[in-house]
Coordinates of all heavy atoms in Angstrom, one line a residue:
M1 N -18.8 117.0 12.6 CA -20.3 117.2 12.6 C -20.9 116.0 11.9 O -20.5 115.7 10.8 CB -20.7 118.5 12.0 CG -22.2 118.7 12.1 SD -22.5 120.4 11.5 CE -23.9 120.1 10.6
Q2 N -21.9 115.4 12.5 CA -22.5 114.2 11.9 C -23.7 114.7 11.1 O -24.5 115.6 11.5 CB -23.0 113.3 13.0 CG -23.4 111.9 12.5 CD -23.7 111.0 13.6 OE1 -23.9 111.4 14.8 NE2 -23.8 109.7 13.3
L3 N -23.9 114.0 9.9 CA -25.0 114.3 9.1 C -26.3 113.9 9.7 O -26.4 112.9 10.5 CB -24.9 113.6 7.7 CG -23.8 114.1 6.8 CD1 -23.7 113.1 5.6 CD2 -24.0 115.5 6.3
P4 N -27.4 114.7 9.5 CA -28.7 114.3 10.0 C -29.1 112.9 9.5 O -28.7 112.5 8.4 CB -29.7 115.3 9.5 CG -28.8 116.5 9.2 CD -27.5 115.9 8.8
W5 N -30.0 112.2 10.2 CA -30.3 110.8 9.8 C -31.0 110.8 8.5 O -30.8 109.8 7.7 CB -31.3 110.2 10.9 CG -32.6 110.8 10.9 CD1 -33.1 111.9 11.6 CD2 -33.7 110.4 10.1 NE1 -34.4 112.1 11.3 CE2 -34.8 111.2 10.4 CE3 -33.9 109.3 9.2 CZ2 -36.1 111.1 9.8 CZ3 -35.2 109.2 8.6 CH2 -36.2 110.1 8.9
I6 N -31.7 111.8 8.0 CA -32.4 111.7 6.7 C -31.3 111.7 5.6 O -31.5 111.0 4.6 CB -33.4 112.9 6.6 CG1 -34.3 112.7 5.4 CG2 -32.7 114.2 6.5 CD1 -35.3 111.7 5.6
Y7 N -30.2 112.4 5.8 CA -29.2 112.4 4.7 C -28.5 111.0 4.7 O -28.2 110.5 3.7 CB -28.1 113.5 5.0 CG -28.7 114.9 4.6 CD1 -29.0 115.8 5.6 CD2 -28.9 115.2 3.3 CE1 -29.5 117.0 5.3 CE2 -29.4 116.5 3.0 CZ -29.7 117.4 4.0 OH -30.2 118.6 3.7
R8 N -28.2 110.5 5.9 CA -27.6 109.2 6.0 C -28.5 108.1 5.4 O -28.0 107.2 4.6 CB -27.2 108.8 7.4 CG -26.1 109.7 8.0 CD -25.6 109.2 9.3 NE -26.5 108.7 10.3 CZ -27.1 109.4 11.2 NH1 -26.7 110.7 11.4 NH2 -27.9 108.9 12.1
A9 N -29.8 108.2 5.7 CA -30.7 107.2 5.1 C -30.8 107.4 3.6 O -30.9 106.4 2.9 CB -32.1 107.4 5.7
G10 N -30.8 108.6 3.1 CA -30.8 108.8 1.7 C -29.6 108.3 1.0 O -29.6 107.7 -0.1
M11 N -28.4 108.5 1.6 CA -27.2 108.0 1.0 C -27.2 106.4 1.0 O -26.7 105.8 0.0 CB -26.0 108.5 1.8 CG -25.8 110.0 1.5 SD -24.4 110.9 2.2 CE -23.8 109.9 3.5
L12 N -27.7 105.8 2.1 CA -27.8 104.4 2.1 C -28.7 103.9 1.0 O -28.4 102.9 0.3 CB -28.2 103.9 3.5 CG -28.4 102.4 3.6 CD1 -27.1 101.7 3.4 CD2 -29.0 102.1 5.0
Y13 N -29.8 104.5 0.9 CA -30.8 104.2 -0.2 C -30.2 104.2 -1.6 O -30.3 103.3 -2.4 CB -32.0 105.1 -0.1 CG -33.0 104.9 -1.3 CD1 -33.9 103.8 -1.3 CD2 -33.0 105.7 -2.4 CE1 -34.7 103.6 -2.3 CE2 -33.8 105.5 -3.4 CZ -34.7 104.5 -3.4 OH -35.6 104.3 -4.5
L14 N -29.5 105.3 -1.8 CA -28.8 105.5 -3.2 C -27.7 104.4 -3.4 O -27.5 103.9 -4.5 CB -28.2 106.9 -3.3 CG -29.3 108.0 -3.6 CD1 -28.6 109.3 -3.6 CD2 -30.1 107.7 -4.8
A15 N -27.0 104.1 -2.3 CA -26.0 103.0 -2.4 C -26.6 101.7 -2.7 O -26.1 101.0 -3.6 CB -25.2 103.0 -1.1
V16 N -27.7 101.4 -2.1 CA -28.4 100.1 -2.3 C -28.9 100.1 -3.7 O -28.8 99.1 -4.5 CB -29.5 99.9 -1.3 CG1 -30.4 98.7 -1.7 CG2 -28.9 99.6 0.1
M17 N -29.5 101.2 -4.2 CA -30.1 101.2 -5.5 C -29.0 101.2 -6.6 O -29.2 100.6 -7.7 CB -31.0 102.4 -5.7 CG -32.3 102.4 -4.9 SD -33.3 100.9 -5.1 CE -33.7 101.1 -6.8
T18 N -27.9 101.8 -6.3 CA -26.8 101.7 -7.3 C -26.3 100.3 -7.4 O -26.1 99.8 -8.5 CB -25.6 102.7 -6.8 OG1 -26.1 104.0 -6.8 CG2 -24.4 102.6 -7.7
F19 N -26.1 99.6 -6.3 CA -25.8 98.2 -6.3 C -26.8 97.4 -7.1 O -26.5 96.5 -7.9 CB -25.6 97.7 -4.9 CG -25.3 96.2 -4.9 CD1 -24.0 95.7 -5.2 CD2 -26.3 95.3 -4.6 CE1 -23.8 94.4 -5.2 CE2 -26.0 93.9 -4.6 CZ -24.8 93.4 -4.9
A20 N -28.1 97.7 -6.8 CA -29.2 96.9 -7.5 C -29.1 97.2 -9.0 O -29.3 96.2 -9.8 CB -30.5 97.4 -7.0
G21 N -28.8 98.4 -9.4 CA -28.7 98.7 -10.9 C -27.6 97.9 -11.5 O -27.7 97.3 -12.6
F22 N -26.4 97.9 -10.9 CA -25.2 97.2 -11.4 C -25.5 95.7 -11.4 O -25.3 95.1 -12.4 CB -24.0 97.6 -10.5 CG -22.8 97.0 -11.0 CD1 -22.0 97.7 -12.0 CD2 -22.2 95.8 -10.5 CE1 -20.9 97.1 -12.5 CE2 -21.0 95.3 -10.9 CZ -20.3 96.0 -11.9
F23 N -26.0 95.2 -10.3 CA -26.2 93.8 -10.2 C -27.3 93.3 -11.2 O -27.1 92.2 -11.8 CB -26.7 93.4 -8.8 CG -27.0 92.0 -8.6 CD1 -26.0 91.0 -8.4 CD2 -28.3 91.5 -8.6 CE1 -26.3 89.7 -8.2 CE2 -28.7 90.2 -8.4 CZ -27.6 89.3 -8.2
S24 N -28.3 94.1 -11.4 CA -29.4 93.6 -12.3 C -28.9 93.6 -13.7 O -29.3 92.7 -14.5 CB -30.6 94.5 -12.2 OG -30.3 95.8 -12.6
M25 N -28.0 94.5 -14.1 CA -27.4 94.5 -15.5 C -26.5 93.2 -15.6 O -26.6 92.5 -16.7 CB -26.6 95.7 -15.8 CG -27.4 96.9 -16.1 SD -28.3 96.7 -17.7 CE -28.9 98.3 -17.9
G26 N -25.7 92.9 -14.6 CA -24.9 91.8 -14.7 C -25.7 90.5 -14.7 O -25.4 89.5 -15.5
W27 N -26.7 90.4 -13.9 CA -27.5 89.2 -13.8 C -28.3 89.0 -15.2 O -28.3 87.9 -15.7 CB -28.6 89.3 -12.7 CG -29.4 88.1 -12.6 CD1 -30.7 88.0 -13.0 CD2 -29.0 86.9 -12.0 NE1 -31.2 86.7 -12.7 CE2 -30.1 86.0 -12.1 CE3 -27.9 86.4 -11.3 CZ2 -30.1 84.7 -11.6 CZ3 -27.9 85.1 -10.9 CH2 -29.0 84.3 -11.0
D28 N -28.8 90.0 -15.7 CA -29.5 89.9 -17.0 C -28.6 89.5 -18.1 O -28.9 88.6 -18.9 CB -30.2 91.2 -17.4 CG -31.1 91.1 -18.5 OD1 -32.0 90.1 -18.5 OD2 -31.1 91.9 -19.5
K29 N -27.4 90.0 -18.1 CA -26.4 89.6 -19.1 C -26.0 88.1 -19.0 O -26.0 87.3 -19.9 CB -25.1 90.4 -19.0 CG -24.0 90.0 -19.9 CD -24.3 90.3 -21.4 CE -23.1 90.1 -22.3 NZ -23.2 90.8 -23.5
L30 N -25.8 87.7 -17.7 CA -25.5 86.2 -17.5 C -26.7 85.3 -17.9 O -26.4 84.3 -18.6 CB -25.3 86.0 -16.0 CG -24.9 84.6 -15.5 CD1 -23.6 84.1 -16.2 CD2 -24.9 84.5 -14.0
M31 N -27.9 85.7 -17.6 CA -29.0 84.9 -18.0 C -29.2 84.9 -19.5 O -29.6 83.9 -20.1 CB -30.3 85.4 -17.3 CG -30.3 85.2 -15.8 SD -30.3 83.5 -15.3 CE -28.6 83.3 -14.8
A32 N -28.9 86.0 -20.2 CA -28.9 86.1 -21.6 C -28.0 85.1 -22.3 O -28.3 84.4 -23.2 CB -28.6 87.5 -22.1
K33 N -26.8 85.1 -21.7 CA -25.7 84.1 -22.2 C -26.2 82.7 -22.1 O -25.9 81.8 -22.9 CB -24.4 84.3 -21.5 CG -23.7 85.5 -22.0 CD -22.3 85.6 -21.2 CE -21.5 86.7 -21.8 NZ -20.1 86.7 -21.1
K34 N -26.9 82.4 -20.9 CA -27.3 81.0 -20.7 C -28.6 80.7 -21.3 O -29.1 79.5 -21.2 CB -27.4 80.8 -19.1 CG -26.1 80.8 -18.4 CD -26.3 80.5 -17.0 CE -25.0 80.4 -16.3 NZ -25.1 79.8 -14.9
G35 N -29.3 81.7 -21.9 CA -30.6 81.4 -22.6 C -31.7 81.2 -21.6 O -32.6 80.4 -21.9
R36 N -31.6 81.8 -20.4 CA -32.6 81.5 -19.4 C -33.4 82.8 -19.2 O -33.3 83.7 -19.9 CB -31.9 81.2 -18.1 CG -31.1 79.8 -18.3 CD -30.5 79.3 -17.1 NE -31.5 79.1 -16.0 CZ -31.1 79.0 -14.7 NH1 -29.8 79.1 -14.4 NH2 -32.0 78.8 -13.8
W37 N -34.3 82.7 -18.1 CA -35.2 83.8 -17.8 C -34.4 85.1 -17.7 O -33.4 85.2 -17.0 CB -36.0 83.5 -16.5 CG -36.9 84.6 -16.1 CD1 -38.2 84.8 -16.6 CD2 -36.6 85.6 -15.2 NE1 -38.7 85.9 -16.0 CE2 -37.8 86.4 -15.1 CE3 -35.5 86.0 -14.4 CZ2 -37.9 87.5 -14.3 CZ3 -35.6 87.1 -13.6 CH2 -36.8 87.8 -13.5
R38 N -35.0 86.2 -18.3 CA -34.3 87.5 -18.3 C -35.0 88.5 -17.4 O -36.2 88.3 -17.1 CB -34.3 88.1 -19.7 CG -33.7 87.2 -20.8 CD -32.2 87.3 -20.8 NE -31.7 88.6 -21.0 CZ -31.7 89.2 -22.2 NH1 -32.0 88.6 -23.3 NH2 -31.2 90.5 -22.3
V39 N -34.3 89.5 -16.9 CA -34.9 90.6 -16.2 C -35.6 91.5 -17.2 O -35.0 91.9 -18.2 CB -33.8 91.4 -15.5 CG1 -34.5 92.6 -14.7 CG2 -33.0 90.5 -14.5
P40 N -36.9 91.7 -17.0 CA -37.6 92.6 -18.0 C -37.0 94.0 -18.1 O -36.5 94.5 -17.2 CB -39.0 92.7 -17.4 CG -39.2 91.5 -16.5 CD -37.8 91.3 -16.0
E41 N -37.0 94.5 -19.4 CA -36.4 95.8 -19.6 C -37.1 96.9 -18.7 O -36.5 97.8 -18.2 CB -36.5 96.2 -21.1 CG -35.5 95.5 -21.9 CD -35.5 96.0 -23.4 OE1 -36.4 96.8 -23.7 OE2 -34.6 95.5 -24.1
R42 N -38.4 96.7 -18.5 CA -39.1 97.6 -17.7 C -38.6 97.7 -16.3 O -38.5 98.7 -15.6 CB -40.6 97.2 -17.7 CG -41.5 98.0 -16.7 CD -42.8 97.4 -16.6 NE -43.7 98.1 -17.6 CZ -44.9 97.8 -17.8 NH1 -45.5 96.8 -17.2 NH2 -45.6 98.4 -18.7
T43 N -38.2 96.5 -15.8 CA -37.6 96.4 -14.4 C -36.2 97.1 -14.4 O -35.9 97.8 -13.4 CB -37.5 94.9 -14.0 OG1 -38.8 94.4 -14.0 CG2 -36.9 94.8 -12.6
L44 N -35.4 96.9 -15.4 CA -34.1 97.5 -15.4 C -34.2 99.0 -15.4 O -33.5 99.7 -14.7 CB -33.3 97.0 -16.7 CG -33.0 95.5 -16.7 CD1 -32.4 95.2 -18.1 CD2 -32.0 95.2 -15.6
L45 N -35.2 99.5 -16.2 CA -35.4 101.0 -16.3 C -36.0 101.5 -15.0 O -35.7 102.6 -14.5 CB -36.3 101.3 -17.5 CG -35.6 101.1 -18.8 CD1 -36.7 101.2 -19.9 CD2 -34.5 102.1 -19.0
L46 N -36.9 100.7 -14.3 CA -37.5 101.1 -13.1 C -36.4 101.3 -12.0 O -36.4 102.2 -11.2 CB -38.6 100.2 -12.7 CG -39.3 100.5 -11.4 CD1 -40.0 101.8 -11.5 CD2 -40.2 99.4 -11.0
I47 N -35.5 100.3 -11.9 CA -34.4 100.3 -10.9 C -33.6 101.6 -11.1 O -33.3 102.3 -10.2 CB -33.5 99.1 -11.0 CG1 -34.3 97.9 -10.5 CG2 -32.2 99.3 -10.2 CD1 -33.6 96.5 -10.8
A48 N -33.3 101.9 -12.4 CA -32.5 103.1 -12.7 C -33.3 104.4 -12.3 O -32.8 105.3 -11.7 CB -32.2 103.2 -14.2
A49 N -34.6 104.4 -12.6 CA -35.4 105.6 -12.3 C -35.6 105.8 -10.8 O -35.8 106.9 -10.3 CB -36.8 105.4 -12.9
L50 N -35.5 104.7 -10.0 CA -35.7 104.8 -8.6 C -34.4 105.1 -7.8 O -34.3 104.9 -6.6 CB -36.3 103.5 -8.0 CG -37.8 103.2 -8.4 CD1 -38.3 101.9 -7.9 CD2 -38.7 104.4 -7.9
G51 N -33.4 105.4 -8.6 CA -32.1 105.9 -7.9 C -30.9 105.0 -8.3 O -29.8 105.3 -7.8
G52 N -31.1 104.0 -9.1 CA -30.0 103.1 -9.5 C -29.4 103.4 -10.8 O -28.7 102.6 -11.4
S53 N -29.5 104.6 -11.3 CA -29.1 105.0 -12.7 C -27.6 104.9 -12.8 O -27.1 104.4 -13.8 CB -29.6 106.4 -13.1 OG -29.1 107.3 -12.2
L54 N -26.8 105.3 -11.8 CA -25.4 105.3 -11.9 C -24.9 103.8 -11.9 O -24.1 103.4 -12.8 CB -24.7 106.0 -10.7 CG -23.2 106.0 -10.7 CD1 -22.7 106.7 -12.0 CD2 -22.7 106.7 -9.5
G55 N -25.4 103.0 -11.1 CA -25.1 101.5 -11.1 C -25.5 100.9 -12.4 O -24.8 100.0 -12.9
S56 N -26.6 101.3 -13.0 CA -27.1 100.7 -14.2 C -26.2 101.1 -15.4 O -25.8 100.3 -16.2 CB -28.5 101.2 -14.5 OG -29.4 100.7 -13.6
I57 N -25.7 102.3 -15.4 CA -24.8 102.8 -16.4 C -23.5 102.1 -16.3 O -22.9 101.6 -17.3 CB -24.6 104.3 -16.3 CG1 -25.9 105.1 -16.7 CG2 -23.4 104.8 -17.2 CD1 -25.9 106.5 -16.4
L58 N -23.0 102.0 -15.1 CA -21.7 101.2 -14.9 C -21.9 99.8 -15.3 O -21.0 99.2 -15.9 CB -21.3 101.3 -13.4 CG -20.8 102.7 -12.9 CD1 -20.6 102.7 -11.4 CD2 -19.6 103.2 -13.7
G59 N -23.0 99.1 -14.9 CA -23.2 97.8 -15.3 C -23.3 97.6 -16.8 O -22.8 96.6 -17.3
M60 N -24.0 98.5 -17.4 CA -24.1 98.5 -18.9 C -22.7 98.5 -19.5 O -22.5 97.7 -20.5 CB -25.0 99.7 -19.3 CG -25.3 99.6 -20.8 SD -26.5 100.9 -21.3 CE -25.5 102.4 -21.1
E61 N -21.8 99.3 -19.0 CA -20.5 99.4 -19.6 C -19.6 98.2 -19.2 O -18.9 97.7 -20.1 CB -19.8 100.7 -19.1 CG -20.5 102.0 -19.7 CD -20.5 102.1 -21.2 OE1 -19.5 101.7 -21.8 OE2 -21.5 102.5 -21.7
V62 N -19.6 97.8 -18.0 CA -18.8 96.7 -17.5 C -19.2 95.4 -18.2 O -18.3 94.7 -18.6 CB -18.8 96.6 -16.0 CG1 -18.2 95.3 -15.5 CG2 -18.1 97.8 -15.3
F63 N -20.5 95.2 -18.3 CA -20.9 93.9 -18.8 C -21.3 94.0 -20.3 O -21.7 93.0 -20.9 CB -22.2 93.4 -18.0 CG -21.9 93.2 -16.6 CD1 -22.6 94.0 -15.6 CD2 -21.0 92.3 -16.1 CE1 -22.4 93.9 -14.3 CE2 -20.8 92.1 -14.8 CZ -21.5 92.9 -13.8
H64 N -21.1 95.1 -20.9 CA -21.4 95.3 -22.3 C -22.8 94.8 -22.6 O -23.0 94.0 -23.5 CB -20.4 94.6 -23.2 CG -19.0 95.0 -22.9 ND1 -18.4 96.3 -23.3 CD2 -18.0 94.4 -22.3 CE1 -17.2 96.3 -22.9 NE2 -16.9 95.2 -22.3
H65 N -23.7 95.3 -21.8 CA -25.1 94.9 -21.9 C -26.0 96.0 -22.2 O -26.0 97.1 -21.6 CB -25.5 94.2 -20.6 CG -26.8 93.4 -20.7 ND1 -27.0 92.5 -21.6 CD2 -27.8 93.5 -19.9 CE1 -28.3 92.0 -21.4 NE2 -28.8 92.6 -20.3
K66 N -26.9 95.8 -23.2 CA -27.9 96.8 -23.6 C -27.3 98.1 -24.2 O -28.0 99.1 -24.3 CB -28.8 97.2 -22.4 CG -29.6 96.1 -21.7 CD -30.7 95.6 -22.6 CE -31.5 94.6 -21.9 NZ -32.5 93.9 -22.7
T67 N -26.1 98.0 -24.6 CA -25.4 99.2 -25.1 C -25.9 99.6 -26.5 O -25.7 100.7 -26.9 CB -23.9 98.9 -25.2 OG1 -23.6 97.8 -26.0 CG2 -23.3 98.8 -23.9
R68 N -26.5 98.7 -27.2 CA -27.1 99.0 -28.6 C -28.5 99.5 -28.5 O -29.1 99.9 -29.5 CB -27.0 97.8 -29.5 CG -25.6 97.5 -29.8 CD -25.5 96.3 -30.8 NE -24.1 95.9 -30.9 CZ -23.8 94.8 -31.6 NH1 -24.7 94.1 -32.2 NH2 -22.5 94.5 -31.7
H69 N -29.1 99.4 -27.4 CA -30.5 99.8 -27.2 C -30.6 101.3 -26.8 O -30.1 101.7 -25.8 CB -31.2 99.0 -26.1 CG -31.3 97.5 -26.4 ND1 -32.4 97.0 -26.9 CD2 -30.4 96.5 -26.2 CE1 -32.2 95.7 -27.0 NE2 -31.0 95.4 -26.7
K70 N -31.2 102.1 -27.7 CA -31.2 103.5 -27.5 C -31.9 103.9 -26.2 O -31.5 104.9 -25.5 CB -31.9 104.3 -28.6 CG -31.0 104.3 -29.8 CD -31.5 105.1 -30.9 CE -30.6 105.1 -32.1 NZ -30.9 105.9 -33.2
K71 N -32.9 103.1 -25.8 CA -33.6 103.5 -24.5 C -32.7 103.3 -23.3 O -32.9 103.9 -22.3 CB -34.9 102.7 -24.3 CG -34.8 101.3 -24.0 CD -36.1 100.7 -23.6 CE -36.7 99.9 -24.8 NZ -37.9 99.2 -24.4
F72 N -31.6 102.5 -23.5 CA -30.6 102.4 -22.4 C -29.4 103.3 -22.6 O -29.0 104.0 -21.7 CB -30.2 100.9 -22.3 CG -31.2 100.1 -21.7 CD1 -32.1 99.4 -22.5 CD2 -31.4 99.9 -20.3 CE1 -33.1 98.6 -21.9 CE2 -32.4 99.2 -19.7 CZ -33.2 98.5 -20.5
S73 N -28.9 103.3 -23.8 CA -27.7 104.1 -24.1 C -27.9 105.6 -24.0 O -27.0 106.3 -23.6 CB -27.1 103.7 -25.5 OG -28.0 104.1 -26.5
W74 N -29.1 106.0 -24.3 CA -29.5 107.4 -24.1 C -30.3 107.6 -22.9 O -30.2 108.6 -22.2 CB -30.3 107.9 -25.3 CG -29.4 108.1 -26.5 CD1 -29.1 107.2 -27.5 CD2 -28.7 109.3 -26.9 NE1 -28.3 107.7 -28.4 CE2 -28.0 109.0 -28.1 CE3 -28.7 110.6 -26.4 CZ2 -27.3 110.0 -28.7 CZ3 -27.9 111.5 -27.0 CH2 -27.2 111.2 -28.2
G75 N -31.2 106.7 -22.6 CA -32.2 106.9 -21.5 C -31.5 106.9 -20.1 O -31.9 107.7 -19.3
L76 N -30.6 106.0 -19.9 CA -30.0 105.9 -18.6 C -29.2 107.2 -18.2 O -29.3 107.7 -17.1 CB -29.1 104.7 -18.4 CG -29.8 103.3 -18.4 CD1 -28.9 102.2 -18.3 CD2 -30.9 103.3 -17.3
P77 N -28.4 107.7 -19.2 CA -27.7 109.0 -18.9 C -28.7 110.1 -18.6 O -28.5 111.0 -17.8 CB -26.8 109.2 -20.1 CG -26.6 107.9 -20.6 CD -27.8 107.1 -20.4
V78 N -29.8 110.1 -19.4 CA -30.8 111.2 -19.2 C -31.4 111.1 -17.8 O -31.6 112.1 -17.0 CB -31.9 111.1 -20.3 CG1 -33.1 112.0 -19.9 CG2 -31.3 111.6 -21.6
I79 N -31.8 109.8 -17.4 CA -32.3 109.6 -16.0 C -31.3 110.1 -15.0 O -31.7 110.7 -14.0 CB -32.7 108.1 -15.8 CG1 -33.9 107.7 -16.7 CG2 -32.9 107.8 -14.3 CD1 -34.1 106.2 -16.7
F80 N -30.0 109.7 -15.2 CA -29.0 110.1 -14.2 C -28.9 111.6 -14.1 O -28.8 112.2 -13.0 CB -27.6 109.5 -14.7 CG -26.5 109.9 -13.8 CD1 -26.4 109.5 -12.5 CD2 -25.5 110.8 -14.2 CE1 -25.4 109.8 -11.6 CE2 -24.5 111.2 -13.4 CZ -24.4 110.7 -12.1
L81 N -28.9 112.3 -15.3 CA -28.8 113.8 -15.2 C -30.0 114.4 -14.6 O -29.9 115.4 -13.8 CB -28.6 114.3 -16.7 CG -27.3 114.0 -17.3 CD1 -27.3 114.5 -18.8 CD2 -26.1 114.7 -16.5
L82 N -31.2 113.9 -14.8 CA -32.4 114.4 -14.1 C -32.3 114.2 -12.6 O -32.7 115.0 -11.8 CB -33.6 113.7 -14.7 CG -34.0 114.1 -16.1 CD1 -35.2 113.2 -16.6 CD2 -34.4 115.6 -16.2
Q83 N -31.8 113.0 -12.2 CA -31.6 112.7 -10.8 C -30.6 113.7 -10.2 O -30.8 114.2 -9.1 CB -31.2 111.3 -10.6 CG -32.3 110.3 -10.8 CD -31.9 108.9 -10.8 OE1 -30.7 108.6 -11.0 NE2 -32.9 108.0 -10.7
C84 N -29.5 114.0 -10.9 CA -28.5 115.0 -10.4 C -29.1 116.3 -10.2 O -28.9 117.0 -9.2 CB -27.3 115.0 -11.4 SG -26.3 113.6 -11.3
A85 N -29.9 116.7 -11.2 CA -30.6 118.0 -11.1 C -31.6 118.1 -10.0 O -31.6 119.1 -9.2 CB -31.4 118.3 -12.4
L86 N -32.3 117.0 -9.8 CA -33.3 116.9 -8.6 C -32.5 117.0 -7.3 O -32.9 117.7 -6.4 CB -34.1 115.6 -8.7 CG -35.1 115.4 -7.7 CD1 -36.2 116.5 -7.8 CD2 -35.8 114.0 -7.8
F87 N -31.4 116.3 -7.2 CA -30.5 116.3 -6.0 C -30.0 117.7 -5.7 O -30.0 118.1 -4.6 CB -29.4 115.3 -6.2 CG -28.5 115.1 -5.0 CD1 -29.0 114.4 -3.9 CD2 -27.3 115.7 -4.9 CE1 -28.2 114.3 -2.7 CE2 -26.5 115.6 -3.8 CZ -26.9 114.9 -2.7
A88 N -29.6 118.4 -6.8 CA -29.1 119.8 -6.6 C -30.2 120.7 -6.2 O -30.0 121.5 -5.3 CB -28.5 120.3 -7.9
L89 N -31.4 120.5 -6.7 CA -32.5 121.3 -6.3 C -32.9 121.0 -4.8 O -33.2 121.9 -4.1 CB -33.7 121.1 -7.2 CG -33.6 121.7 -8.6 CD1 -34.8 121.3 -9.4 CD2 -33.6 123.2 -8.5
A90 N -32.9 119.8 -4.5 CA -33.3 119.4 -3.1 C -32.2 119.9 -2.2 O -32.6 120.3 -1.0 CB -33.4 117.9 -3.0
G91 N -31.0 119.9 -2.6 CA -29.9 120.5 -1.7 C -30.1 121.9 -1.4 O -29.8 122.4 -0.3
G92 N -30.6 122.7 -2.4 CA -30.9 124.1 -2.2 C -32.1 124.3 -1.3 O -32.2 125.4 -0.7
I93 N -33.0 123.4 -1.3 CA -34.2 123.5 -0.5 C -33.9 123.4 1.0 O -34.4 124.1 1.8 CB -35.3 122.5 -0.9 CG1 -35.8 122.9 -2.3 CG2 -36.5 122.5 0.1 CD1 -36.7 121.8 -2.9
F94 N -33.1 122.4 1.3 CA -32.7 122.1 2.7 C -31.6 122.9 3.0 O -31.0 123.1 3.9 CB -32.4 120.6 2.9 CG -33.6 119.7 2.6 CD1 -33.7 118.9 1.4 CD2 -34.8 119.8 3.4 CE1 -34.8 118.1 1.2 CE2 -35.9 119.0 3.1 CZ -35.9 118.2 2.0

């Protein structure tokens, strides 16, 4: 049985946002090492809030980036848990 298009579109969206979260953490770390233009923290958090929290958390761990900042070390897992709860609630609705 094939999933309805809305589920496939949602999974694609989450995959793209997860990649964006991971990539943005890696890019910001690279730019920090080079002393160049950085990705604003607000943008990093926005990507996580828009569905890229898992990728952002993975990027934070892999690149050892923003791990000392409480808004990231605590905030990203909180965002992820809220998104999981929202996903679980939405699954119950449909």
